[in-house]
Amino acid sequence: MTAPAPDPMRQAQALLRLLDADDVDAAIDAGLAGFDAEAVAALPPSSRAR
């Protein structure tokens, strides 16, 4: 059984919190490199750009 895919908005919010805390290593571990912010339409443009 595989784990369900993370909710993109929740993942975006978690990544932004980690980046705000200047914890880049944790953000990378949480999937920053493979995250497609453009796929989260509800994310504000300024957050997508980050």
Short mmCIF file of all heavy atoms in Angstrom, two decimals:
data_model
loop_
_atom_site.label_atom_id
_atom_site.label_comp_id
_atom_site.label_asym_id
_atom_site.label_seq_id
_atom_site.Cartn_x
_atom_site.Cartn_y
_atom_site.Cartn_z
N MET A 1 0.84 -1.18 0.00
CA MET A 1 0.00 0.00 0.00
C MET A 1 0.89 1.25 0.00
O MET A 1 1.82 1.36 0.78
CB MET A 1 -0.89 -0.02 1.23
CG MET A 1 -1.86 1.11 1.28
SD MET A 1 -2.98 0.81 2.68
CE MET A 1 -3.77 2.35 2.69
N THR A 2 0.61 2.17 -0.88
CA THR A 2 1.41 3.40 -0.95
C THR A 2 0.71 4.52 -0.18
O THR A 2 -0.50 4.53 -0.02
CB THR A 2 1.60 3.85 -2.41
OG1 THR A 2 0.32 4.11 -2.98
CG2 THR A 2 2.33 2.79 -3.22
N ALA A 3 1.52 5.46 0.27
CA ALA A 3 0.98 6.61 1.00
C ALA A 3 0.25 7.52 0.03
O ALA A 3 0.64 7.63 -1.15
CB ALA A 3 2.10 7.37 1.67
N PRO A 4 -0.82 8.16 0.47
CA PRO A 4 -1.52 9.09 -0.42
C PRO A 4 -0.64 10.28 -0.76
O PRO A 4 0.23 10.67 0.01
CB PRO A 4 -2.75 9.53 0.40
CG PRO A 4 -2.41 9.21 1.80
CD PRO A 4 -1.42 8.10 1.78
N ALA A 5 -0.85 10.83 -1.93
CA ALA A 5 -0.09 12.00 -2.35
C ALA A 5 -0.43 13.18 -1.44
O ALA A 5 -1.58 13.34 -1.05
CB ALA A 5 -0.41 12.34 -3.81
N PRO A 6 0.58 13.99 -1.10
CA PRO A 6 0.29 15.13 -0.23
C PRO A 6 -0.58 16.16 -0.95
O PRO A 6 -0.51 16.32 -2.17
CB PRO A 6 1.67 15.71 0.08
CG PRO A 6 2.56 15.21 -1.00
CD PRO A 6 1.98 13.91 -1.47
N ASP A 7 -1.44 16.82 -0.17
CA ASP A 7 -2.25 17.90 -0.70
C ASP A 7 -1.31 19.03 -1.13
O ASP A 7 -0.52 19.52 -0.30
CB ASP A 7 -3.22 18.38 0.37
CG ASP A 7 -4.00 19.60 -0.06
OD1 ASP A 7 -4.63 19.55 -1.13
OD2 ASP A 7 -3.97 20.60 0.67
N PRO A 8 -1.34 19.47 -2.39
CA PRO A 8 -0.39 20.47 -2.87
C PRO A 8 -0.43 21.79 -2.08
O PRO A 8 0.61 22.38 -1.83
CB PRO A 8 -0.79 20.70 -4.33
CG PRO A 8 -1.52 19.48 -4.72
CD PRO A 8 -2.19 18.97 -3.48
N MET A 9 -1.62 22.23 -1.67
CA MET A 9 -1.70 23.48 -0.93
C MET A 9 -1.08 23.33 0.46
O MET A 9 -0.34 24.21 0.90
CB MET A 9 -3.15 23.95 -0.82
CG MET A 9 -3.27 25.29 -0.13
SD MET A 9 -2.28 26.56 -0.96
CE MET A 9 -3.40 27.89 -0.95
N ARG A 10 -1.35 22.21 1.10
CA ARG A 10 -0.74 21.98 2.43
C ARG A 10 0.77 21.87 2.31
O ARG A 10 1.51 22.36 3.16
CB ARG A 10 -1.32 20.73 3.06
CG ARG A 10 -2.76 20.93 3.52
CD ARG A 10 -3.26 19.73 4.21
NE ARG A 10 -2.42 19.55 5.41
CZ ARG A 10 -2.85 19.05 6.54
NH1 ARG A 10 -4.09 18.67 6.64
NH2 ARG A 10 -2.05 18.91 7.57
N GLN A 11 1.24 21.21 1.25
CA GLN A 11 2.68 21.08 1.05
C GLN A 11 3.28 22.45 0.79
O GLN A 11 4.35 22.78 1.32
CB GLN A 11 2.99 20.13 -0.09
CG GLN A 11 4.48 19.88 -0.23
CD GLN A 11 4.85 18.94 -1.36
OE1 GLN A 11 4.02 18.63 -2.21
NE2 GLN A 11 6.07 18.50 -1.37
N ALA A 12 2.62 23.28 -0.01
CA ALA A 12 3.13 24.63 -0.28
C ALA A 12 3.22 25.44 1.00
O ALA A 12 4.23 26.11 1.25
CB ALA A 12 2.21 25.34 -1.28
N GLN A 13 2.20 25.36 1.83
CA GLN A 13 2.21 26.11 3.09
C GLN A 13 3.33 25.62 4.01
O GLN A 13 4.00 26.43 4.64
CB GLN A 13 0.84 25.99 3.77
CG GLN A 13 -0.24 26.71 3.01
CD GLN A 13 -1.63 26.38 3.51
OE1 GLN A 13 -1.89 25.31 4.04
NE2 GLN A 13 -2.55 27.32 3.32
N ALA A 14 3.53 24.32 4.06
CA ALA A 14 4.61 23.78 4.89
C ALA A 14 5.97 24.23 4.38
O ALA A 14 6.84 24.62 5.16
CB ALA A 14 4.52 22.26 4.92
N LEU A 15 6.15 24.20 3.06
CA LEU A 15 7.41 24.63 2.48
C LEU A 15 7.66 26.11 2.75
O LEU A 15 8.79 26.51 3.09
CB LEU A 15 7.44 24.34 0.97
CG LEU A 15 7.51 22.87 0.58
CD1 LEU A 15 7.30 22.70 -0.92
CD2 LEU A 15 8.82 22.25 1.03
N LEU A 16 6.63 26.93 2.61
CA LEU A 16 6.78 28.36 2.87
C LEU A 16 7.13 28.62 4.33
O LEU A 16 7.97 29.49 4.63
CB LEU A 16 5.51 29.11 2.47
CG LEU A 16 5.28 29.20 0.96
CD1 LEU A 16 3.88 29.73 0.67
CD2 LEU A 16 6.35 30.06 0.29
N ARG A 17 6.53 27.88 5.25
CA ARG A 17 6.87 28.03 6.67
C ARG A 17 8.34 27.69 6.91
O ARG A 17 9.04 28.39 7.65
CB ARG A 17 5.98 27.14 7.55
CG ARG A 17 4.63 27.72 7.83
CD ARG A 17 3.90 26.96 8.92
NE ARG A 17 3.69 25.56 8.62
CZ ARG A 17 2.66 25.08 7.92
NH1 ARG A 17 1.74 25.88 7.45
NH2 ARG A 17 2.56 23.79 7.70
N LEU A 18 8.80 26.62 6.30
CA LEU A 18 10.19 26.23 6.46
C LEU A 18 11.13 27.29 5.86
O LEU A 18 12.16 27.62 6.46
CB LEU A 18 10.44 24.87 5.81
CG LEU A 18 9.79 23.69 6.53
CD1 LEU A 18 9.85 22.45 5.65
CD2 LEU A 18 10.45 23.45 7.88
N LEU A 19 10.77 27.81 4.71
CA LEU A 19 11.60 28.85 4.10
C LEU A 19 11.58 30.14 4.93
O LEU A 19 12.62 30.78 5.08
CB LEU A 19 11.13 29.12 2.66
CG LEU A 19 11.37 27.97 1.68
CD1 LEU A 19 10.72 28.28 0.35
CD2 LEU A 19 12.85 27.68 1.52
N ASP A 20 10.42 30.48 5.48
CA ASP A 20 10.34 31.65 6.35
C ASP A 20 11.22 31.49 7.59
O ASP A 20 11.75 32.47 8.11
CB ASP A 20 8.89 31.90 6.78
CG ASP A 20 8.03 32.45 5.67
OD1 ASP A 20 8.58 32.94 4.66
OD2 ASP A 20 6.78 32.37 5.79
N ALA A 21 11.35 30.26 8.06
CA ALA A 21 12.18 29.98 9.22
C ALA A 21 13.65 29.81 8.83
O ALA A 21 14.49 29.50 9.67
CB ALA A 21 11.69 28.72 9.92
N ASP A 22 13.96 30.02 7.56
CA ASP A 22 15.31 29.89 7.01
C ASP A 22 15.86 28.47 7.20
O ASP A 22 17.05 28.29 7.44
CB ASP A 22 16.24 30.93 7.63
CG ASP A 22 17.47 31.18 6.78
OD1 ASP A 22 17.38 31.04 5.54
OD2 ASP A 22 18.54 31.50 7.34
N ASP A 23 14.97 27.49 7.11
CA ASP A 23 15.37 26.09 7.25
C ASP A 23 15.31 25.44 5.87
O ASP A 23 14.44 24.62 5.57
CB ASP A 23 14.44 25.37 8.24
CG ASP A 23 15.04 24.06 8.73
OD1 ASP A 23 16.03 23.59 8.12
OD2 ASP A 23 14.51 23.52 9.71
N VAL A 24 16.27 25.82 5.05
CA VAL A 24 16.30 25.36 3.66
C VAL A 24 16.52 23.85 3.58
O VAL A 24 15.91 23.17 2.75
CB VAL A 24 17.38 26.12 2.86
CG1 VAL A 24 17.48 25.59 1.43
CG2 VAL A 24 17.07 27.61 2.85
N ASP A 25 17.35 23.32 4.46
CA ASP A 25 17.60 21.87 4.44
C ASP A 25 16.30 21.10 4.69
O ASP A 25 16.02 20.11 4.00
CB ASP A 25 18.64 21.48 5.49
CG ASP A 25 20.04 21.94 5.11
OD1 ASP A 25 20.31 22.14 3.90
OD2 ASP A 25 20.87 22.11 6.02
N ALA A 26 15.52 21.55 5.66
CA ALA A 26 14.24 20.88 5.94
C ALA A 26 13.27 21.04 4.77
O ALA A 26 12.51 20.12 4.46
CB ALA A 26 13.62 21.41 7.22
N ALA A 27 13.29 22.20 4.13
CA ALA A 27 12.43 22.43 2.97
C ALA A 27 12.81 21.48 1.83
O ALA A 27 11.93 20.93 1.16
CB ALA A 27 12.50 23.88 2.51
N ILE A 28 14.09 21.29 1.64
CA ILE A 28 14.54 20.35 0.61
C ILE A 28 14.09 18.94 0.96
O ILE A 28 13.57 18.21 0.11
CB ILE A 28 16.07 20.43 0.43
CG1 ILE A 28 16.43 21.78 -0.20
CG2 ILE A 28 16.59 19.27 -0.41
CD1 ILE A 28 17.91 22.09 -0.20
N ASP A 29 14.26 18.56 2.22
CA ASP A 29 13.82 17.23 2.67
C ASP A 29 12.30 17.06 2.52
O ASP A 29 11.81 15.95 2.30
CB ASP A 29 14.20 16.99 4.12
CG ASP A 29 15.70 16.81 4.31
OD1 ASP A 29 16.40 16.53 3.32
OD2 ASP A 29 16.16 16.95 5.47
N ALA A 30 11.56 18.17 2.61
CA ALA A 30 10.09 18.13 2.50
C ALA A 30 9.61 18.18 1.05
O ALA A 30 8.41 18.21 0.80
CB ALA A 30 9.48 19.28 3.30
N GLY A 31 10.52 18.21 0.09
CA GLY A 31 10.13 18.12 -1.30
C GLY A 31 10.23 19.40 -2.11
O GLY A 31 9.64 19.50 -3.18
N LEU A 32 10.97 20.38 -1.63
CA LEU A 32 11.07 21.66 -2.33
C LEU A 32 11.53 21.51 -3.79
O LEU A 32 10.95 22.11 -4.68
CB LEU A 32 12.03 22.59 -1.58
CG LEU A 32 12.27 23.96 -2.20
CD1 LEU A 32 10.98 24.77 -2.24
CD2 LEU A 32 13.35 24.71 -1.44
N ALA A 33 12.53 20.69 -4.01
CA ALA A 33 13.10 20.57 -5.35
C ALA A 33 12.09 20.06 -6.38
O ALA A 33 12.11 20.48 -7.53
CB ALA A 33 14.33 19.66 -5.32
N GLY A 34 11.21 19.18 -5.96
CA GLY A 34 10.25 18.61 -6.91
C GLY A 34 8.88 19.25 -6.87
O GLY A 34 7.97 18.81 -7.57
N PHE A 35 8.72 20.31 -6.08
CA PHE A 35 7.41 20.92 -5.92
C PHE A 35 7.12 21.87 -7.07
O PHE A 35 7.94 22.71 -7.43
CB PHE A 35 7.34 21.69 -4.59
CG PHE A 35 5.98 22.24 -4.31
CD1 PHE A 35 4.94 21.42 -3.96
CD2 PHE A 35 5.73 23.59 -4.43
CE1 PHE A 35 3.67 21.91 -3.71
CE2 PHE A 35 4.48 24.11 -4.19
CZ PHE A 35 3.45 23.27 -3.83
N ASP A 36 5.94 21.75 -7.66
CA ASP A 36 5.52 22.62 -8.76
C ASP A 36 4.50 23.63 -8.24
O ASP A 36 3.30 23.35 -8.19
CB ASP A 36 4.91 21.79 -9.90
CG ASP A 36 4.46 22.64 -11.08
OD1 ASP A 36 4.78 23.84 -11.11
OD2 ASP A 36 3.79 22.09 -11.96
N ALA A 37 4.99 24.79 -7.83
CA ALA A 37 4.11 25.83 -7.27
C ALA A 37 3.09 26.33 -8.28
O ALA A 37 2.01 26.76 -7.90
CB ALA A 37 4.95 26.99 -6.75
N GLU A 38 3.40 26.25 -9.56
CA GLU A 38 2.47 26.71 -10.59
C GLU A 38 1.22 25.83 -10.64
O GLU A 38 0.18 26.24 -11.14
CB GLU A 38 3.16 26.75 -11.95
CG GLU A 38 4.29 27.76 -12.03
CD GLU A 38 3.84 29.19 -11.74
OE1 GLU A 38 2.77 29.60 -12.21
OE2 GLU A 38 4.58 29.90 -11.03
N ALA A 39 1.32 24.62 -10.11
CA ALA A 39 0.18 23.71 -10.13
C ALA A 39 -0.83 24.01 -9.02
O ALA A 39 -1.90 23.44 -9.00
CB ALA A 39 0.68 22.27 -9.99
N VAL A 40 -0.47 24.92 -8.11
CA VAL A 40 -1.36 25.27 -6.99
C VAL A 40 -1.98 26.63 -7.30
O VAL A 40 -1.46 27.67 -6.94
CB VAL A 40 -0.59 25.30 -5.65
CG1 VAL A 40 -1.55 25.51 -4.49
CG2 VAL A 40 0.18 24.00 -5.46
N ALA A 41 -3.11 26.60 -7.98
CA ALA A 41 -3.75 27.84 -8.45
C ALA A 41 -4.15 28.77 -7.31
O ALA A 41 -4.14 30.00 -7.47
CB ALA A 41 -4.96 27.51 -9.30
N ALA A 42 -4.48 28.23 -6.14
CA ALA A 42 -4.93 29.05 -5.02
C ALA A 42 -3.77 29.74 -4.30
O ALA A 42 -3.99 30.62 -3.48
CB ALA A 42 -5.70 28.20 -4.01
N LEU A 43 -2.55 29.39 -4.64
CA LEU A 43 -1.39 30.00 -4.02
C LEU A 43 -1.17 31.38 -4.63
O LEU A 43 -1.14 31.53 -5.84
CB LEU A 43 -0.17 29.11 -4.27
CG LEU A 43 1.05 29.30 -3.42
CD1 LEU A 43 0.74 29.04 -1.96
CD2 LEU A 43 2.13 28.35 -3.88
N PRO A 44 -1.03 32.41 -3.78
CA PRO A 44 -0.82 33.76 -4.31
C PRO A 44 0.44 33.82 -5.19
O PRO A 44 1.41 33.13 -4.92
CB PRO A 44 -0.66 34.64 -3.07
CG PRO A 44 -1.24 33.85 -1.95
CD PRO A 44 -1.07 32.40 -2.33
N PRO A 45 0.42 34.66 -6.21
CA PRO A 45 1.57 34.76 -7.11
C PRO A 45 2.89 35.04 -6.39
O PRO A 45 3.93 34.50 -6.75
CB PRO A 45 1.20 35.90 -8.05
CG PRO A 45 -0.29 35.92 -8.06
CD PRO A 45 -0.69 35.51 -6.66
N SER A 46 2.87 35.87 -5.36
CA SER A 46 4.10 36.18 -4.65
C SER A 46 4.66 34.93 -3.95
O SER A 46 5.87 34.74 -3.88
CB SER A 46 3.88 37.29 -3.63
OG SER A 46 2.91 36.90 -2.68
N SER A 47 3.78 34.07 -3.47
CA SER A 47 4.23 32.82 -2.84
C SER A 47 4.74 31.84 -3.87
O SER A 47 5.71 31.13 -3.63
CB SER A 47 3.07 32.19 -2.04
OG SER A 47 2.71 33.02 -0.96
N ARG A 48 4.08 31.79 -5.01
CA ARG A 48 4.56 30.91 -6.10
C ARG A 48 5.95 31.31 -6.55
O ARG A 48 6.79 30.46 -6.84
CB ARG A 48 3.60 30.94 -7.28
CG ARG A 48 2.47 29.97 -7.12
CD ARG A 48 1.61 29.94 -8.34
NE ARG A 48 0.62 30.99 -8.11
CZ ARG A 48 -0.18 31.46 -9.00
NH1 ARG A 48 -0.16 31.02 -10.23
NH2 ARG A 48 -1.05 32.39 -8.69
N ALA A 49 6.21 32.60 -6.62
CA ALA A 49 7.51 33.09 -7.08
C ALA A 49 8.63 32.71 -6.11
O ALA A 49 9.75 32.46 -6.53
CB ALA A 49 7.46 34.60 -7.25
N ARG A 50 8.28 32.66 -4.84
CA ARG A 50 9.31 32.32 -3.85
C ARG A 50 9.77 30.91 -4.07
O ARG A 50 10.89 30.54 -3.87
CB ARG A 50 8.76 32.47 -2.43
CG ARG A 50 8.54 33.90 -2.10
CD ARG A 50 8.06 34.11 -0.69
NE ARG A 50 8.85 33.39 0.26
CZ ARG A 50 8.34 32.89 1.39
NH1 ARG A 50 7.10 33.07 1.68
NH2 ARG A 50 9.11 32.24 2.22
#
